[in-house]
Amino acid sequence: SAVISQKPSRDICQRGTSLTIQCQVDSQVTMMFWYRQQPGQSLTLIATANQGSEATYESGFVIDKFPISRPNLTFSTLTVSNMSPEDSSIYLCSVGDVSSYEQYFGPGTRLTVT
Amino acid sequence: QKEVEQNSGPLSVPEGAIASLNCTYSDRGSQSFFWYRQYSGKSPELIMSIYSNGDKEDGRFTAQLNKASQYVSLLIRDSQPSDSATYLCAARFSSGSARQLTFGSGTQLTVLP
């Protein structure tokens, strides 16, 4: 399976600021996703990152708050904008296999908003 | 509404025992099912995928799928303390985006030495 890295691994940010999280894959992948995992909770899909077009957002998530870029098949960014303490969470990118639909996760970014 | 349900636990088993984790899903047309293991502070790791009715074995792990009952389970034989983790069940639903997975809330497993 692909090797996935995320930067930063963790950050502490002030309310009202923005943070951009990077996801890098060591091979070209078609499917890439962004998830949020709040403390003690399961995974919630934020959006599907589409190469060359706008991301597809899930209900409850909007582009103004979580802008996503996918400039090529190995890289994506998720920005958490105008942060509040409720955005404190682990943010995970994943890549999907087009035939098996298996998904593999990056190591995650632990965000704390104060 | 697309749902995947799991008992949150915690589930405790003694070392060497069989741990049984269960999952039900709402969409009868779902085709693909996955079990992930997540250690505390780590990201989820795929351990099993199953697509057809019946059992699928991989080492100490066996996934079982019953589409008629909309039920997926994971058995861990000869449980070890290193198996202590949260286990997430996921399903690919037939409706909506066929690429997405929906995750259950996870079952926390503790294997007691």
Side-chain angles (χ1 to χ4, degrees):
Chain A
S1 59
V3 175
I4 308 166
S5 59
Q6 284 186 238
K7 290 184 192 178
S9 58
R10 58 179 62 227
D11 207 341
I12 301 173
C13 300
Q14 290 193 336
R15 180 195 302 259
T17 62
S18 297
L19 176 72
T20 295
I21 302 168
Q22 299 179 5
C23 180
Q24 179 76 53
V25 190
D26 70 342
S27 59
Q28 294 186 339
V29 293
T30 302
M31 300 195 294
M32 188 177 282
F33 305 92
W34 286 98
Y35 288 84
R36 181 173 72 183
Q37 187 172 34
Q38 295 182 303
Q41 303 296 314
S42 188
L43 302 172
T44 302
L45 180 65
I46 297 172
T48 302
N50 301 308
Q51 193 267 329
S53 64
E54 193 171 285
T56 304
Y57 289 84
E58 296 302 300
S59 176
F61 297 97
V62 295
I63 188 171
D64 289 346
K65 175 68 174 177
F66 297 101
I68 288 171
S69 77
R70 179 101 191 262
N72 55 52
L73 292 177
T74 64
F75 185 78
S76 179
T77 66
L78 168 73
T79 299
V80 186
S81 303
N82 188 25
M83 288 184 284
S84 66
E86 292 71 35
D87 296 318
S88 297
S89 187
I90 298 173
Y91 292 86
L92 296 145
C93 70
S94 76
V95 300
D97 183 284
V98 294
S99 57
S100 69
Y101 296 96
E102 293 174 345
Q103 287 189 25
Y104 301 92
F105 287 86
T109 296
R110 184 179 295 271
L111 171 62
T112 302
V113 183
T114 62
Chain B
Q1 179 136 358
K2 299 179 284 187
E3 292 184 340
V4 176
E5 301 284 345
Q6 294 182 254
N7 290 329
S8 60
L11 172 67
S12 295
V13 300
E15 183 173 356
I18 296 175
S20 178
L21 305 163
N22 304 315
C23 172
T24 59
Y25 58 93
S26 60
D27 181 3
R28 183 173 292 277
S30 298
Q31 297 295 318
S32 310
F33 306 89
F34 309 90
W35 283 99
Y36 287 81
R37 176 177 63 197
Q38 187 172 25
Y39 292 114
S40 181
K42 301 294 185 182
S43 63
E45 172 192 8
L46 179 67
I47 54 173
M48 291 288 285
S49 54
I50 187 166
Y51 307 94
S52 304
N53 277 329
D55 295 359
K56 179 181 179 182
E57 188 174 315
D58 184 0
R60 295 187 296 111
F61 298 99
T62 299
Q64 300 175 317
L65 174 60
N66 183 326
K67 290 186 178 180
S69 300
Q70 296 175 231
Y71 179 93
V72 189
S73 65
L74 179 69
L75 301 178
I76 306 175
R77 291 183 302 280
D78 188 24
S79 295
Q80 300 297 309
S82 59
D83 295 325
S84 297
T86 296
Y87 289 80
L88 301 168
C89 174
R92 180 174 72 90
F93 289 110
S94 58
S95 58
S97 170
R99 296 179 170 187
Q100 295 175 6
L101 300 184
T102 299
F103 286 81
S105 57
T107 298
Q108 185 178 345
L109 171 67
T110 301
V111 180
L112 303 170

